Amino acid sequence: MSDDVMISLDHVSKRYRGQKVPAVENVSMTIHRGEIVVLVGPSGCGKTTTMKMINRLIEPSSGRITLDGADVTSLNPTELRRRIGYVIQQGGLFPHMSVATNIGMVPRMLGWDRRRIDARVDELLDLVGLEPGQFRNRLPQQLSGGQQQRVGVARALAADPPVMLMDEPFGATDPLTREHLQNEFLRLQEKLQKTIVFVTHDFDEAIKMGSRIAVLGERSRIRQFDTPERLLAAPADETVAQFIGAGASLKQLNLRRVGSIAYDEAHLVTSQESPAAVLRHLDESGDWAVLTVDGERRPLRWVGPRDLRPERDTLDGVGIPAPTVEPRATLRDALDAMLTCGCGAAVVVDDAGRYRGVLGIDRLMRAITEMRETERSRDRGVAEASYYRPPMPRTLAAPAQRGGAR
Amino acid sequence: MTFLEYLQSRRTLLLAQTLEHATIVLTAVAIATVVGVLIGVATYRHRRGRAIAVAVAAAILTIPSFALLGLLIPPLGLGYVPPLIALTLYAVLPILRNTVVGLTEIDPALREAARGIGMGPLRRLATVEIPLAWPVILAGIRVSTQMTMGIAAIAAYVGGPGLGHQIFSGLANLGGVNSLNQALVGTLGVVILALAVDLCLALLGVLTRPGRGARSAARNPRSAPPAGAAATAGTAH
């Protein structure tokens, strides 16, 4: 077994008393340091049970699970769990404790002193994008679902565990928040390089989050364990193909990030600009619209020739709201944004929401064509390589041609 | 003698009896809280166990107080001890039942989150489960207190302390001088004392509320408040 292996499951089964069929039967897999392995499968397939055996919330009936080389059954379960971050749906925050107390729980159990805990709590709140001064003393129910989820992640990271188990962590949030949390989490992971086991029933989420994906069938039987790319290109059998569902090629849009393709430029104006000047610009340049931005260069609205009233002085409230995506969003997220506004373009913004460029539908189409070509050539080329892909942020791994968007 | 004149002339005695009354009730409830919570914690995970515990406590509550107090005289004699034991026995049921309800109503996901981040059973109980169940347990304590206030009046029958003496001697001499005043002052005293203590317990509830509004969260943990609406949602009880 190489040093690279963080978690290994070796012929693990779980049989509950009084039940004829085991809940998990004979599962073996190795999980490498720094990768996100997603367990995905229909509900009731035993994926959560499989995950919970790693931190011994559920004891395996047979087989061996090792964590960093040590058999987990040889370790004290509560101490083992303090070394493994655990995130569940909605964060599982204790409703009677403040955000700071929730996050500081594990460090407190590990006997850190107060000052160190307080400093760590603030550091983590910053890390997950919540202003410490504002959120430290709030109660969980004074937070939105997405904020609760962030605090849940912060709590799991508190004692800096090398391994995290995440059970449908973004499941209870609305699609927009979920997408945002996913992007944010991927950004964190680029920095933290944790070994993560991630359970979900959402295949799109699996493709987006996973370094490798294990598609599980009944009794947690592994139907295919592969990189997202391979999984989409070559499903192992009928069932996997069915689970991937229709539109596998559309799902490949989940594989590439907005940041990995070149942006276009839009003509930026402030809302104070006069409609007449904008009209002149549109005439001269042939652009379909200009983008209004605020003082911080945050995009506001698309303004086309038909939105302009020459008799007015400013562009305040004129045009259609411009949808934005982050560089970490997938091309599919970008397509969604474009379709929602019906304008065929999404504005790429940085973490602070400032303008970085524009992703047009034609760029997107070109990227898709490109993807399909590389797909074809790769299928011809590498047939029998090891499909384990070393953990690397996908934004960097993808063929880089990040256009100088400014 | 008018009622007010009677109050005035027996001021010291009445105050002493009120104090005795309060003391025996609060002592009994305090013991019952420890006993009830312990039994509740020990049994709530097992369906059989908690059913038996609650059934026994309920059976005790059906014993007429007069009879129970009388039956405790042969082994324990007269005085302070038999009424204290009887009151404690009566006070256990509401506390025990509410402890069980409070603990079983906690969202299993929370319990598992506590386990998942590495809390041992005792720490889970002390930092998560009891605090979340506390408002429900406290409601049980209030019911027990109200109930035993009335029963404690009967303790005077076996030589126990409290305002029951006024009632009993008043009723025994009905028609005599001051008998009506005595019965009235005893009864009113118990009622006022009960209301006063309940007020204190209600205040205790406000002061010990786990977080602000954690009670609603313990009962209905799935309903996370929407963003923004949360700031004011805490105190809706």
Side-chain angles (χ1 to χ4, degrees):
Chain A
M1 211 178 281
S2 78
D3 288 345
D4 203 30
V5 175
M6 191 53 155
I7 303 168
S8 92
L9 281 74
D10 189 16
H11 300 287
V12 174
S13 296
K14 175 66 190 178
R15 186 183 290 273
Y16 285 104
R17 237 187 326 171
Q19 280 180 8
K20 284 201 183 98
V21 283
V24 172
E25 191 171 29
N26 203 14
V27 171
S28 298
M29 64 165 67
T30 53
I31 295 165
H32 301 266
R33 238 173 258 280
E35 68 174 338
I36 302 182
V37 165
V38 180
L39 307 182
V40 64
S43 46
C45 74
K47 52 191 190 297
T48 299
T49 308
T50 305
M51 188 195 77
K52 283 180 182 168
M53 284 193 281
I54 296 171
N55 68 353
R56 291 181 66 190
L57 281 175
I58 294 173
E59 299 282 352
S61 315
S62 65
R64 212 170 98 98
I65 298 175
T66 61
L67 179 81
D68 209 1
D71 190 331
V72 293
T73 48
S74 71
L75 305 167
N76 174 316
T78 50
E79 277 162 30
L80 169 75
R81 289 179 203 136
R82 288 173 198 175
R83 288 170 40 201
I84 300 178
Y86 186 56
V87 187
I88 61 175
Q89 215 173 74
Q90 290 196 337
L93 302 178
F94 304 125
H96 59 302
M97 296 178 189
S98 70
V99 164
T101 317
N102 265 293
I103 296 176
M105 210 67 216
V106 178
R108 200 165 306 116
M109 289 190 285
L110 293 173
W112 293 19
D113 66 60
R114 236 194 115 87
R115 288 247 301 282
R116 189 173 165 210
I117 295 174
D118 289 347
R120 179 67 178 155
V121 166
D122 287 0
E123 182 189 347
L124 284 162
L125 280 172
D126 263 335
L127 193 69
V128 297
L130 297 173
E131 163 61 36
Q134 194 185 344
F135 288 96
R136 204 187 290 126
N137 297 320
R138 289 215 191 160
L139 285 171
Q141 61 174 243
Q142 296 168 321
L143 305 178
S144 70
Q147 290 166 341
Q148 288 184 15
Q149 206 54 66
R150 288 194 183 108
V151 175
V153 170
R155 183 175 68 182
L157 287 169
D160 202 16
V163 175
M164 305 236 300
L165 305 182
M166 307 182 79
D167 190 359
E168 306 243 3
F170 310 132
T173 44
D174 62 274
L176 245 160
T177 311
R178 178 195 297 210
E179 192 211 311
H180 195 69
L181 288 171
Q182 289 168 341
N183 294 341
E184 217 166 68
F185 187 75
L186 286 170
R187 190 182 76 217
L188 268 183
Q189 169 65 0
E190 280 175 27
K191 249 188 284 183
L192 301 173
Q193 296 286 305
K194 302 285 181 196
T195 307
I196 295 167
V197 179
F198 190 110
V199 165
T200 181
H201 63 266
D202 176 354
F203 194 73
D204 291 328
E205 184 171 58
I207 292 176
K208 182 168 181 181
M209 304 303 288
S211 320
R212 286 192 298 160
I213 298 173
V215 182
L216 304 180
E218 262 171 41
R219 281 161 281 141
S220 213
R221 204 164 64 79
I222 298 177
R223 294 192 165 275
Q224 190 168 5
F225 188 23
D226 231 327
T227 62
E229 292 86 351
R230 290 286 316 166
L231 209 60
L232 287 175
D237 59 30
E238 195 82 340
T239 324
V240 174
Q242 261 175 20
F243 192 68
I244 291 171
S249 42
L250 195 63
K251 285 187 202 299
Q252 298 201 355
L253 288 177
N254 283 320
L255 291 174
R256 276 193 74 183
R257 311 280 156 174
V258 169
S260 73
I261 63 178
Y263 311 139
D264 295 313
E265 284 296 332
H267 184 69
L268 303 186
V269 296
T270 67
S271 322
Q272 264 57 55
E273 192 78 42
S274 78
V278 171
L279 213 50
R280 209 172 320 122
H281 168 83
L282 289 176
D283 275 346
E284 282 164 15
S285 65
D287 286 351
W288 66 278
V290 298
L291 183 64
T292 57
V293 293
D294 66 7
E296 301 279 320
R297 279 169 67 88
R298 283 187 292 246
L300 300 171
R301 285 160 182 278
W302 286 113
V303 181
R306 265 181 295 167
D307 303 317
L308 291 167
R309 299 269 175 281
E311 67 275 12
R312 291 188 52 174
D313 293 338
T314 68
L315 297 175
D316 246 353
V318 175
I320 45 173
T324 59
V325 291
E326 293 168 47
R328 236 164 258 99
T330 63
L331 294 190
R332 161 135 186 199
D333 298 332
L335 184 62
D336 268 351
M338 291 176 199
L339 294 177
T340 319
C341 89
C343 55
V347 183
V348 185
V349 293
D350 64 13
D351 292 336
R354 283 184 293 261
Y355 170 87
R356 280 181 60 174
V358 173
L359 183 60
I361 191 113
D362 41 340
R363 285 272 186 200
L364 194 71
M365 288 312 297
R366 227 172 300 154
I368 294 170
T369 323
E370 215 173 86
M371 249 158 59
R372 294 176 68 174
E373 273 159 15
T374 44
E375 180 88 14
R376 247 173 260 139
S377 61
R378 188 180 48 198
D379 278 355
R380 276 194 300 271
V382 261
E384 284 306 315
S386 157
Y387 299 134
Y388 163 58
R389 197 179 41 159
M392 207 192 295
R394 199 170 304 134
T395 41
L396 302 182
Q401 45 154 294
R402 197 188 297 253
R406 268 162 201 272
Chain B
M1 221 189 266
T2 66
F3 182 66
L4 285 178
E5 280 166 352
Y6 179 78
L7 272 186
Q8 194 68 12
S9 64
R10 308 287 157 90
R11 206 174 42 212
T12 332
L13 174 71
L14 287 175
L15 266 178
Q17 284 179 336
T18 307
L19 209 63
E20 280 171 8
H21 201 96
T23 310
I24 193 166
V25 166
L26 291 179
T27 313
V29 170
I31 300 171
T33 302
V34 174
V35 173
V37 171
L38 280 181
I39 298 177
V41 164
T43 58
Y44 83 99
R45 280 174 214 272
H46 318 285
R47 212 140 64 110
R48 267 296 250 311
R50 65 177 188 241
I52 292 171
V54 171
V56 169
I60 291 174
L61 199 59
T62 60
I63 304 173
S65 49
F66 226 59
L68 182 59
L69 285 165
L71 287 170
L72 286 172
I73 296 174
L76 298 168
L78 293 172
Y80 196 80
V81 180
L84 181 64
I85 289 179
L87 292 181
T88 305
L89 285 174
Y90 287 133
V92 165
L93 175 70
I95 297 171
L96 168 63
R97 198 166 48 192
N98 279 33
T99 303
V100 168
V101 169
L103 289 174
T104 44
E105 270 185 358
I106 295 173
D107 183 4
L110 275 184
R111 201 170 278 132
E112 187 162 274
R115 234 154 65 82
I117 66 170
M119 289 178 153
L122 276 181
R123 192 191 292 268
R124 274 202 311 270
L125 202 63
T127 57
V128 178
E129 299 180 19
I130 297 277
L132 286 178
W134 175 244
V136 186
I137 298 174
L138 187 65
I141 294 175
R142 285 172 68 177
V143 172
S144 284
T145 312
Q146 298 296 298
M147 200 177 68
T148 43
M149 278 289 177
I151 299 174
I154 297 164
Y157 169 71
V158 294
L163 288 164
H165 285 286
Q166 293 290 329
I167 303 173
F168 272 99
S169 64
L171 293 180
N173 307 313
L174 217 52
V177 189
N178 279 334
S179 61
L180 191 62
N181 282 340
Q182 279 189 319
L184 209 58
V185 83
T187 313
L188 280 176
V190 169
V191 171
I192 292 168
L193 184 62
L195 289 176
V197 171
D198 195 47
L199 197 69
C200 292
L201 287 175
L203 202 66
L204 181 72
V206 174
L207 293 178
T208 59
R209 194 155 41 187
R212 278 148 295 161
R215 183 171 169 188
S216 62
R219 290 191 163 184
N220 197 3
R222 287 267 162 220
S223 69
T232 51
T235 49
H237 273 278

